[in-house]
Amino acid sequence: MYPESEDQRNWEDRRVLSREIRKNRTQPMALIREEFQQVSGSIVSMNTIRKEAHLLGFHGRAAAHKPLITKFNCAARLMWCKAIEIGP
């Protein structure tokens, strides 16, 4: 039997990494790295895991800050919108 090509092993490692990340997307990269190494048997650095995750489409995103809308603020915003809509 022919030995596996380098590309084939890389592709399989990427699939394993993608599967490990999808299990829990919020876990730290250190845990993802440990789980990946246990499952695949490949020893890789943290930077390699981070780069491959980025290439696979896993990007870190922070939620946009949204204003706190209280009942009072909601009523005030609604009155402001109605005043703008009517105009001078």
Side-chain angles (χ1 to χ4, degrees), residues 3 7 13 15 17 21 27 31-32 41 49-50 65 68 81-82:
D7 290 336
D13 284 347
R15 286 180 56 206
L17 178 61
I21 293 173
Q27 67 185 353
L31 286 176
I32 292 172
I49 295 287
R50 192 172 288 123
H65 294 282
L68 175 64
C81 289
K82 287 181 179 179

Side-chain angles (χ1 to χ4, degrees), residues 28-40:
M29 276 292 174
L31 286 176
I32 292 172
R33 177 181 169 225
E34 288 175 13
E35 290 176 5
F36 172 76
Q37 287 179 352
Q38 288 175 356
V39 173
S40 69

Side-chain angles (χ1 to χ4, degrees), residues 48-63:
T48 303
I49 295 287
R50 192 172 288 123
K51 288 175 188 176
E52 288 296 328
H54 187 77
L55 290 174
L56 289 170
F58 296 101
H59 308 285
R61 298 284 189 261

